C-alpha cells in the first residue's frame, strides 16, 4: 500500500487545532504521519520529568481518524536544560568552537551523557507506545549528521581513540598503517592521537579517512543504541532513520543493513532545470541500498523551501511529477516536511501540505489531488534489479579521493552523477552498487574514479568480467589501499592485468580559465565519437589491451586514451581521462551498443524521464512542452489500454506493459 503524509508537529499548536488537523488529513488522503521528531522538550521538560499525556491524546486522535503513526524517538534536538546541566554534550568544530543551543541538533554523538539521556527518553517512549495500534513504524532521531557533519569535541577525541584501538590493537599497527614516520608523526600511545583538529598544514590522509569512518560509525552507534532499546520493549514495527541521499558523512551502504526500510529526504531546487535528474539519482540510490524492500520518500516540500538564498516555488504540477518520480524509482510512500506550516520559528516560510494561507491555495489542491491519485494506484512490483547497468558509488572512496594534496581536486559525487545523468538522458535504467556487491545480472558496470580500491572490490570486479560482464574503469582508479597508501608496484596494481594497461603518471589538466600554459583539455579520437578529456590525462601503456582511442594534440598526442581487453567472454575497458558531459554521453552510447543494452523506451527527449518497476514503466514530462509517447499497455491510474498518448507539462503515466521486460 502507498503511504501518504508528512511530519506532524502538533506540539507547535494548541490542542484545539488537532481535530482539524486530522479532518484535513483525511481530506488529503493522508495515511501516515511522522510524529514528535523535535518534541523532546515537550515530552521531557526537565531531567527525570516526563509528560506523555499530550502525546497519548494526539496518537489516540490520529488512530481514531485512521492515520498511522511513524513515531519519532525525538532525540535529534536535546532540550536546553540538557546542555545547561551537561555542557559536555555539546559538539565542537575543528577550531574547538562549541555549537551552542538555540537551533537544533546540538549534540556530540559520542557524548556518554547525550547517549544516556537519549536512551532514557527512548526507553520510556518505547515502553509506552510499542503496543499502540496506531504506531506502524519507528523514526529514530532525524537526519543523523545533518548540519554537524563532523564533531571534534573532547567526547569525539576520547571515542576516536577507543575506535582506533579497536581497529588497530596496538599503536605500532596504527603507525604502520598511517605511515607516521612521514613528518615525524609517530605516536607512542593512542592517548597522543587527536581528531584532525585545526593544524598548521595538511593532515595525514590516513587519519582523515579513519576519522570519516569513525564518524559514520559513531552516528550509526547512536541509531543502533535506540534500535536495540525499541526492540527490547517488544516493539515489532519496522525501524528506520531518514537518509539524505548521497550524504557524505554516513556510509549508507553500511547503514542500510541496519534499516528495516530505507527512508529518504529530498529537496530538488525548482529553479534548476536539471535537478530532477539529480533527484532521480537519489531515488535510484535509495532503491539500490536495499533493493528488495520498497523505500519511502520521508520528506519533500509541497512547494517552496526556506533555506536556499532564493526559494523558487515549484511550478504547477511539478510537485506531483517529482513525487511520482520517487514512486517510479521504487518508493512505496510519499511524505512531506511538514503537515501544517509553522507560525513561528526558522521554518515558517517553508511550504507545507496545509499552507498558512489555508485550503484555497494551489498547494493544498495539489496535495489533495496527489493523495487521491496515490490512493488509486495499485501495488507496484518491487523493482529490485530491473537494471542491466550498474554504476559503482563508494563512500570510502569518496572520503579518500577528496583528501587534499592530490594531482587535481575532484568532486567525486559530481563525477558519478555525470555518468548517471548520461544514462538517464538515454533512458537507460541504472542501479548504484559497491565494488564488492553481487554483480550477477548486470551487463555493464561503470566504475568512475575508484581511487581507493580494496582487495575484495578488485577481486569482485575481476570475477564480473571473467564471467562475461563488461567493465569500464576510468582515470585515477586503483591507486591506494584502504589506508590511503600506494600499493607496492605502481598503480593499477589490482586491475592492471584485467585491463591490460599500466599507468605511468596521472597528468593534471589545468582549468580551462587558467592563465598559464598548461593543457586544459585532452581530445580523444575513437569510434565512440566526440570525447574531450578533462581534469586528468594519464600516461598509460597498453600491455595486453587493444587501443580503441588515442589522445589528439597536446603532450599526449597519439598516446592511448581508451582501451579494451577481452577476458573470456567479458571485456574490461579503460579510459585514461575524465570525459566532459558530452563525451560521457557519447562513450556511454557506444558502450551500451557494445554491451547490448537498450533504453527502457527509445526516441524520447531528454526532458522526459522513463523508469521501470518490473513490468510497469513510468514516463514523466519534466518540461513545459507536451510530448508524444508510444508504449502499449494499461494505464494504471485510468485503467485504459493505451498505445500512444501526449504527456502535458509535468504529466506522468504509469503503464503496465508486456513490452517492457528486463531483457528489453
Ligand atoms: C530537513 C529536516 C526537517 C526540515 C527540512 C526542511 O529535511 O529533517 O526537519 O528542517 O529539512 O527542508
Amino acid at each position: 500500500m502507498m503511504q501518504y503524509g508528512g511530519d506532524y508537529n502538533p506540539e507547535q499548536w494548541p490542542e484545539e487545532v488537532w481535530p482539524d488537523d486530522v479532518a484535513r488529513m483525511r481530506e488529503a488522503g493522508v495515511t501516515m504521519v511522522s510524529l514528535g521528531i523535535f518534541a523532546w522538550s515537550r515530552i521531557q521538560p526537565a531531567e527525570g520529568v516526563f509528560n506523555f499525556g499530550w502525546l497519548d491524546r494526539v496518537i489516540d486522535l490520529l488512530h481514531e481518524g485512521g492515520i498511522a503513526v511513524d513515531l519519532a524517538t525525538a532525540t535529534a534536538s536535546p532540550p536546553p536544560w540538557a546542555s545547561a546541566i551537561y555542557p559536555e554534550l555539546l559538539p565542537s568544530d575543528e577550531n574547538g568552537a562549541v555549537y551552542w543551543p538555540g537551533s537544533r541538533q546540538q549534540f556530540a554523538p559520542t557524548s556518554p551523557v547525550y547517549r544516556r539521556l537519549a536512551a532514557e527518553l527512548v526507553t520510556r517512549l518505547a515502553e509506552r507506545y510499542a503496543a499502540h495500534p496506531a504506531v506502524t513504524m519507528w523514526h529514530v532521531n532525524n537526519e543523523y549528521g545533518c548540519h554537524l557533519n563532523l564533531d571534534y569535541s573532547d567526547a569525539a577525541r576520547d571515542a576516536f581513540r577507543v575506535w582506533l584501538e579497536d581497529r588497530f590493537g596496538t599503536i605500532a599497527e596504527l603507525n604502520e598503517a598511517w605511515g607516521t614516520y612521514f613528518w615525524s608523526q609517530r605516536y607512542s600511545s593512542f592517548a597522543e592521537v587527536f581528531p584532525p583538529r585545526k593544524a598548521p598544514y595538511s593532515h595525514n590522509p590516513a587519519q582523515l579517512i579513519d576519522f570519516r569512518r569513525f564518524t559514520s560509525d559513531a552516528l550509526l552507534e547512536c541509531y543502533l543504541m535506540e534500535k536495540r532499546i525499541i526492540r527490547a520493549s517488544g516493539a515489532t514495527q519496522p525501524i528506520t532513520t531518514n537518509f539524505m541521499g548521497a550524504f557524505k558523512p554516513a556510509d549508507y551502504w553500511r547503514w542500510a543493513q541496519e534499516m528495516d526500510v530505507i527512508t529518504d529526504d529530498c529537496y530538488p531546487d525548482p529553479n534548476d532545470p536539471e535537478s530532477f535528474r539529480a533527484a532521480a539519482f537519489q531515488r535510484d540510490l535509495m532503491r539500490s541500498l536495499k533493493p528488495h524492500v520498497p523505500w519511502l520518500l520521508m520528506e519533500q516540500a509541497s512547494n517552496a523551501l526556506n533555506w536556499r538564498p532564493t526559494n523558487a516555488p515549484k511550478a504547477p504540477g511539478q510537485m506531483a511529477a517529482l513525487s511520482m518520480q520517487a514512486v517510479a524509482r521504487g518508493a512505496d510512500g510519499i511524505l512531506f516536511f511538514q503537515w501544517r506550516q509553522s507560525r513561528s520559528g526558522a521554518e515558517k516560510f517553508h511550504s507545507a501540505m496545509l499552507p498558512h494561507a489555508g485550503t484555497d491555495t494551489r498547494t493544498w489542491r495539489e496535495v489533495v489531488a496527489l493523495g487521491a491519485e496515490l490512493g488509486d494506484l495499485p501495488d507496484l512490483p518491487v523493482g529490485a534489479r530491473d537494471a542491466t547497468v550498474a554504476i559503482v558509488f563508494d563512500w570510502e572512496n569518496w572520503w579518500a579521493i577528496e583528501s587534499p594534496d592530490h594531482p587535481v581536486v575532484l568532486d567525486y559525487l559530481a563525477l558519478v552523477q555525470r555518468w548517471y545523468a548520461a544514462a538517464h538522458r538515454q533512458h537507460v535504467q541504472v542501479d548504484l552498487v559497491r565494488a564488492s556487491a553481487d554483480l550477477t545480472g548486470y551487463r555493464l558496470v561503470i566504475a568512475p574514479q575508484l581511487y581507493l580500491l580494496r582487495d575484495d572490490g578488485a577481486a569482485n570486479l575481476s570475477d564480473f568480467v571473467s564471467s562475461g560482464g563488461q567493465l569500464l574503469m576510468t582515470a585515477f582508479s586503483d591507486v591506494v589501499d584502504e589506508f590511503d597508501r600506494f600499493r607496492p608496484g605502481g598503480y593499477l596494481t589490482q586491475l592492471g592485468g584485467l585491463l591490460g594497461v599500466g599507468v605511468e603518471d596521472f597528468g593534471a589538466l589545468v582549468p580551462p580559465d587558467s592563465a598559464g600554459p598548461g593543457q586544459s583539455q585532452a581530445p580523444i579520437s575513437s569510434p565512440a565519437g566526440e570525447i574531450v578529456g578533462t581534469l586528468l590525462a594519464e600516461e598509460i601503456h597498453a600491455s595486453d589491451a587493444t587501443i580503441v582511442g588515442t589522445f589528439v594534440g597536446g603532450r599526449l598526442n597519439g598516446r592511448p586514451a581508451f582501451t579494451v581487453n577481452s577476458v573470456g567472454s567479458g571485456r574490461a575497458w579503460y579510459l585514461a581521462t575524465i570525459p566532459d558531459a558530452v563525451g560521457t554521453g557519447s562513450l556511454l552510447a557506444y558502450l551500451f551498443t557494445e554491451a547490448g543494452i537498450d533504453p527502457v523506451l527509445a526516441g524520447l527527449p531528454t526532458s522526459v524521464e522513463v523508469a521501470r518497476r518490473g513490468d510497469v514503466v513510468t514516463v514523466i514530462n519534466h518540461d513545459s512542452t507536451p510530448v508524444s509517447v508510444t508504449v502499449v499497455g494499461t494505464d494504471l491510474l485510468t485503467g485504459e489500454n493505451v498505445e500512444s498518448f501526449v504527456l502535458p507539462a509535468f504529466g506522468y503515466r504509469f503503464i503496465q506493459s508486456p513490452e517492457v521486460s528486463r531483457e528489453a
Side-chain angles (χ1 to χ4, degrees):
M1 174 190 163
M2 261 319 140
Q3 299 293 344
Y4 191 53
D7 285 14
Y8 181 35
N9 299 307
E11 67 278 7
Q12 296 178 13
W13 296 92
E15 207 159 328
E16 305 84 81
V17 176
W18 301 351
D20 181 61
D21 281 330
V22 174
R24 295 289 183 195
M25 285 175 191
R26 291 173 64 86
E27 195 181 327
V30 166
T31 62
M32 181 169 85
V33 292
S34 304
L35 184 68
I37 294 175
F38 291 103
W40 191 343
S41 72
R42 179 75 184 259
I43 297 170
Q44 193 182 8
E47 187 163 18
V49 179
F50 290 88
N51 175 2
F52 286 111
W54 71 277
L55 197 53
D56 292 349
R57 290 196 294 283
V58 81
I59 293 178
D60 289 344
L61 195 66
L62 287 161
H63 188 50
E64 283 159 25
I67 313 255
V69 172
D70 164 38
L71 188 59
T73 60
T75 53
S77 219
W81 61 256
S83 48
I85 307 173
Y86 306 108
E88 66 272 27
L89 66 73
L90 294 170
S92 309
D93 73 7
E94 59 171 354
N95 299 304
V98 172
Y99 292 97
W100 297 99
S103 176
R104 66 174 176 183
Q105 270 146 310
Q106 69 291 342
F107 64 87
T110 53
S111 156
V113 70
Y114 165 75
R115 289 193 185 183
R116 175 174 66 76
L117 294 173
E120 284 169 14
L121 173 64
V122 179
T123 304
R124 301 288 291 260
L125 273 164
E127 281 170 354
R128 195 170 187 96
Y129 300 112
H132 197 296
V135 176
T136 57
M137 191 157 88
W138 290 89
H139 186 295
V140 171
N141 202 276
N142 193 63
E143 295 190 338
Y144 273 112
C146 183
H147 309 309
L148 274 166
N149 291 181
L150 296 162
D151 169 40
Y152 299 81
S153 65
D154 287 352
R157 174 201 62 198
D158 296 346
F160 187 40
R161 290 172 182 169
V162 171
W163 185 92
L164 289 169
E165 197 161 353
D166 268 7
R167 173 163 169 75
F168 292 109
T170 66
I171 198 69
E173 286 293 317
L174 177 146
N175 281 314
E176 172 61 24
W178 286 14
T180 54
Y181 276 117
F182 180 78
W183 284 353
S184 184
Q185 290 170 352
R186 194 189 155 279
Y187 296 102
S188 304
S189 77
F190 288 99
E192 294 174 357
V193 186
F194 283 83
R197 291 176 177 169
K198 191 76 185 165
Y201 186 43
S202 303
H203 286 98
N204 184 321
Q207 179 189 9
L208 290 178
I209 186 173
D210 269 342
F211 189 61
R212 285 280 184 184
R213 290 185 178 112
F214 155 78
T215 297
S216 180
D217 285 359
L219 290 165
L220 184 57
E221 271 177 19
C222 291
Y223 170 81
L224 289 172
M225 176 191 80
E226 295 197 18
K227 185 179 175 187
R228 275 192 295 271
I229 293 170
I230 295 167
R231 283 282 172 257
S233 75
T236 54
Q237 302 91 339
I239 302 176
T240 189
T241 187
N242 43 345
F243 288 176
M244 290 158 280
F247 177 66
K248 191 173 174 185
D251 179 352
Y252 286 158
W253 291 120
R254 165 89 191 79
W255 284 56
Q257 296 163 23
E258 310 293 349
M259 303 295 133
D260 296 327
V261 55
I262 302 291
T263 62
D264 188 49
D265 301 349
C266 184
Y267 293 96
D269 184 354
N271 194 43
D272 173 357
E274 281 293 298
S275 66
F276 75 89
R277 243 182 280 280
F281 171 83
Q282 185 161 338
R283 324 286 195 205
D284 280 348
L285 177 60
M286 292 304 122
R287 185 192 62 246
S288 301
L289 287 172
K290 219 173 178 68
H292 298 283
V293 183
W295 59 281
L296 297 179
L297 178 61
M298 183 57 88
E299 285 185 29
Q300 67 164 348
S302 63
N303 203 331
L305 300 177
N306 65 306
W307 46 261
R308 291 200 169 98
T310 300
N311 294 290
K314 287 183 172 164
Q318 193 172 19
M319 181 277 281
L322 287 167
S323 303
M324 293 311 194
Q325 177 192 57
V327 174
R329 296 187 179 277
D332 265 4
I334 301 294
L335 293 92
F336 295 80
F337 175 82
Q338 63 177 328
W339 161 248
R340 185 188 280 272
Q341 190 172 352
S342 299
R343 274 193 61 204
S344 22
E347 294 183 320
K348 62 181 178 297
F349 284 104
H350 195 296
S351 59
M353 297 174 81
L354 180 53
H356 185 61
T359 51
D360 189 12
T361 51
R362 172 169 72 87
T363 298
W364 174 253
R365 285 187 285 275
E366 290 191 7
V367 162
V368 172
L370 179 63
E373 274 197 337
L374 288 171
D376 288 345
L377 205 57
D379 286 347
L380 297 176
V382 169
R385 290 300 186 91
D386 286 330
T388 50
V389 180
I391 299 178
V392 177
F393 178 61
D394 183 284
W395 262 264
E396 279 200 315
N397 181 54
W398 191 359
W399 299 332
I401 203 170
E402 293 186 2
S403 275
D405 309 307
H406 283 183
V408 67
V409 173
L410 298 177
D411 178 342
Y412 176 61
L413 177 60
L415 295 176
V416 171
Q417 285 179 326
R418 190 182 288 177
W419 289 98
Y420 178 86
H424 190 276
R425 282 195 180 88
Q426 293 173 44
H427 306 109
V428 169
Q429 183 116 337
V430 161
D431 286 342
L432 284 308
V433 293
R434 278 193 283 199
S436 57
D438 176 7
L439 300 174
T440 319
Y442 295 117
R443 291 187 194 160
L444 175 66
V445 172
I446 315 277
Q449 282 64 64
L450 210 47
Y451 161 80
L452 185 158
L453 181 61
R454 286 182 182 250
D455 299 357
D456 60 345
N460 192 49
L461 293 173
S462 298
D463 289 349
F464 169 69
V465 176
S466 319
S467 346
Q470 305 215 22
L471 169 71
L472 173 72
M473 299 292 295
T474 55
F476 211 51
S477 289
D478 185 7
V479 180
V480 297
D481 68 7
E482 67 165 297
F483 303 109
D484 204 359
R485 294 179 300 203
F486 289 151
R487 295 175 188 266
Y491 313 116
L492 281 184
T493 57
Q494 307 304 293
L495 293 181
L498 181 83
L499 295 159
V501 298
V503 169
E504 296 169 25
D505 220 334
F506 300 108
L509 296 166
V510 300
D513 53 2
S514 139
Q519 190 178 335
S520 63
Q521 294 192 320
I524 296 172
S525 158
S526 87
E530 281 278 298
I531 301 173
V532 173
T534 63
L535 296 160
L536 287 168
E538 292 178 339
E539 289 180 43
I540 66 167
H541 54 257
S543 38
D544 296 319
T546 306
I547 298 169
V548 186
T550 51
F551 288 113
V552 183
R555 65 185 154 82
L556 295 178
N557 188 30
R559 299 272 314 244
F562 182 34
T563 61
V564 65
N565 197 32
S566 294
V567 180
S569 55
R571 283 190 280 175
W573 304 83
Y574 190 73
L575 184 74
T577 184
I578 300 175
D580 63 359
V582 172
T584 304
S586 313
L587 193 68
L588 214 43
Y590 175 78
L591 290 175
F592 287 160
T593 306
E594 291 293 312
I597 289 157
D598 291 327
V600 181
L601 290 181
L604 290 167
T606 58
S607 53
V608 171
E609 168 159 4
V610 183
R612 289 188 52 202
R613 281 180 74 162
D615 62 352
V616 177
V617 56
T618 309
V619 273
I620 308 171
N621 182 5
H622 291 280
D623 192 45
S624 51
T625 314
V627 177
S628 299
V629 180
T630 302
V631 53
V632 175
T634 309
D635 183 319
L636 289 181
L637 281 168
T638 64
E640 292 163 3
N641 290 331
V642 293
E643 282 182 17
S644 63
F645 47 86
V646 173
L647 272 185
F650 298 112
Y652 46 81
R653 297 249 193 154
F654 291 87
I655 309 293
Q656 189 153 36
S657 172
E659 287 181 355
V660 183
S661 76
R662 192 168 196 280
E663 299 305 316

